[in-house]
Amino acid sequence: MSDNAKISIDGLTKVFYKKNSSVVALKDINVEIQDGEFVCLIGPSGCGKTTLLRILAGLETPSIGEFTIAQGKEDRPIQSMVFQEQGVIPWLTVYENVAFGLKMRHLPKDTVQERTDYYLRKVGLDKFANLYPKELSGGMKQRVSIARAFANDPEILLMDEPFGALDEQNKFILQEELLNIWSETKKTVLFITHSIDEALLLSDRILLMSSQPGQIIDQKTIDLARPRNMEQVRSNKEMADDFVNIWKHLQVEVQGSRI
Amino acid sequence: MNREKIHGVDYDPFEIEQQEWKKRQVRERLKQILTITSPIFILILWEFLSRTGLVDARFFPAPTAIIATFLDMGANGELYQHIGISLYRIFAGFLLGVIPAIILGLLMGLYSPIRHFFSPLVMALMPIPTLALLPIILIIFGIGEVSKIVTIAGSVFFPVIINTVAGVVNIDRIYLDVAKNYGASTKDFFFKIALPGSLPVMLEGIQMGQAIALLTIVAAEMMGANSGIGYLIWTSYSSFILKEMYVGLVLISFFGYLFSLLLRGLQRKLLPWK
């Protein structure tokens, strides 16, 4: 195990037991993620990638195996999650949503105010601070979700298909915004997606998963220089090859799980 | 530029849509008028039938006569005492029922062992009309105010607790995950997630409880009281002063409507996010 590993997952297996149909959601997962690395986890739906993220997020427990997340600063929370679409709490205003993690940690009022304002400005929602989520578009809601996670200043960020429900234009914009904020903080990120384009644009490294049992079967390092944007990814020959390779892999997996 | 020729005739699309819009406005206004027509129609019909003797004015005194009686009763002040004491019982009983129902309901919704322990009790006790327990309540709490307040509390309690539990149980799982992921303490979880998240359904229960409270107060005052609107209805009926009885009935209807409006207003205040 290298010294620099921020997240290390060791022999992690998760079984969902039901009387007649038990499922091996994750089988013997071994992963190390370096400090400051942006890693995307890509795989067919139902391959257990969300389960892995939920385990790291403390929302599920592994059946066997373990994981550690290295603690840097002591007063930092270990992890914060950006949830799929509906993770913004409807009875809290935009401001209260972004401040949620900070308030739960009972930080001093001015710290909460300062950090919340900073990230509201970062995602361009400072004018909407007092609105309720019902008045926001899907893209704005995900901005709230991202600001909430970054404002909490955790050791690592976990993102569960945060842009999955957005239309394509919004998705591109938010992806670049995310990269902007990320490049400022250099957080370690584990990001789940089923979009190959998204993974190529965002990642330092892509982990490929198979389904049933969910295993990490391959990985790819993405060397494209940062800052990146979608046009670069689209016009780069190497990226195009990577896209095809990953697609071939996924195709096999998706078809395999249909049988 | 907006004019187009269709079959050689000039049409302005904006003009056409404006006509349509105006028609819709008129239709909306007609519907509003319709809502107030029905009560007015009934009152006029009643007045007419009663005045002409087509129905027996002893049993169905004309609305104007009822209003006159109301003003008479108001003049000697006794009426306000009856109203005051009934309102006091309703509010006290309402609070005594609603507050424990919300607390226990939230606990039941959040903690499944508590839910499993209490829900058979709630289910078994709910169908028993509190009024049927009035004799027992009178024995325990005496003939005074407490027994009426307890009776109302008992009947308000059930719709509120059932809706509160349902409200908590139906909070979308993802909000619970968010709270857990961001390290919410038990107290924060209670006040920032469970309470506000269950509030919409809970308020529906409180609305129901409010209606039941009015039904209960009248019946309870008929059976075991010597004051209040229910008592007024009962004594005027027994002594065949039906005009006064109608005054009591109209009062109940008025307060029921008023409370509904107040609660709707409260709902809008408490749920700006809906």
Side-chain angles (χ1 to χ4, degrees), chain A residues 9 36 47 70 108 187 218:
Chain A
I9 304 170
C47 73
K187 293 269 174 217
D218 204 356

Side-chain angles (χ1 to χ4, degrees), chain A:
Chain A
M1 201 185 284
S2 74
D3 295 336
N4 218 5
K6 191 73 186 171
I7 309 173
S8 46
I9 304 170
D10 210 5
L12 193 146
T13 295
K14 175 73 180 176
V15 174
F16 287 110
Y17 177 81
K18 268 191 216 155
K19 208 169 176 191
N20 294 318
S21 61
S22 295
V23 179
V24 185
L26 297 170
K27 191 180 171 191
D28 195 27
I29 305 283
N30 294 288
V31 179
E32 270 189 17
I33 295 173
Q34 306 306 312
D35 196 9
E37 203 179 4
F38 199 124
V39 175
C40 279
L41 191 59
I42 194 166
S45 31
C47 73
K49 46 193 196 303
T50 295
T51 307
L52 181 59
L53 208 70
R54 287 177 62 85
I55 289 173
L56 294 176
L59 300 172
E60 307 258 7
T61 49
S63 307
I64 52 171
E66 55 187 26
F67 67 91
T68 50
I69 298 167
Q71 177 92 47
K73 270 205 261 165
E74 234 176 54
D75 54 345
R76 249 188 205 160
I78 285 287
Q79 44 77 24
S80 297
M81 183 139 154
V82 179
F83 289 82
Q84 278 169 358
E85 35 176 12
Q86 302 301 341
V88 177
I89 298 170
W91 50 86
L92 301 180
T93 61
V94 168
Y95 179 90
E96 290 167 329
N97 262 292
V98 174
F100 188 73
L102 303 169
K103 281 191 178 161
M104 292 301 107
R105 283 159 60 205
H106 301 284
L107 294 181
K109 266 215 173 89
D110 32 332
T111 316
V112 174
Q113 174 99 37
E114 187 193 321
R115 280 211 232 162
T116 306
D117 285 343
Y118 179 77
Y119 280 101
L120 277 174
R121 241 175 294 128
K122 270 273 143 206
V123 297
L125 286 177
D126 40 341
K127 285 192 199 72
F128 305 100
N130 294 318
L131 295 189
Y132 285 95
K134 68 164 179 187
E135 292 162 272
L136 304 183
S137 67
M140 286 157 98
K141 279 185 202 165
Q142 276 322 61
R143 283 191 177 92
V144 174
S145 216
I146 289 168
R148 177 171 66 189
F150 274 99
N152 206 26
D153 190 26
E155 293 290 344
I156 67 163
L157 283 166
L158 302 167
M159 307 202 182
D160 186 10
E161 294 190 37
F163 309 138
L166 301 181
D167 63 78
E168 196 158 59
Q169 288 87 346
N170 256 312
K171 200 187 280 191
F172 290 159
I173 294 168
L174 269 138
Q175 284 163 348
E176 287 186 14
E177 283 185 14
L178 172 63
L179 282 181
N180 264 333
I181 303 176
W182 174 76
S183 66
E184 212 173 81
T185 56
K186 283 290 174 194
K187 293 269 174 217
T188 312
V189 180
L190 184 58
F191 188 109
I192 283 184
T193 181
H194 53 233
S195 154
I196 305 172
D197 272 334
E198 186 166 81
L200 290 173
L201 174 69
L202 299 174
S203 325
D204 293 316
R205 185 153 58 107
I206 300 176
L207 302 174
L208 293 174
M209 266 185 96
S210 65
S211 62
Q212 298 198 1
Q215 274 174 309
I216 292 172
I217 49 168
D218 204 356
Q219 57 171 326
K220 255 185 202 330
T221 310
I222 307 298
D223 295 322
L224 191 66
R226 296 182 188 270
R228 302 172 185 166
N229 59 41
M230 198 42 102
E231 292 102 84
Q232 288 167 336
V233 173
R234 283 281 162 96
S235 60
N236 186 305
K237 174 77 180 67
E238 225 174 290
M239 292 292 110
D241 292 344
D242 282 338
F243 183 96
V244 173
N245 283 337
I246 297 172
W247 168 238
K248 275 183 183 154
H249 156 83
L250 284 179
Q251 219 175 5
V252 171
E253 280 303 325
V254 171
Q255 276 167 359
S257 64
R258 267 156 135 202
I259 298 165

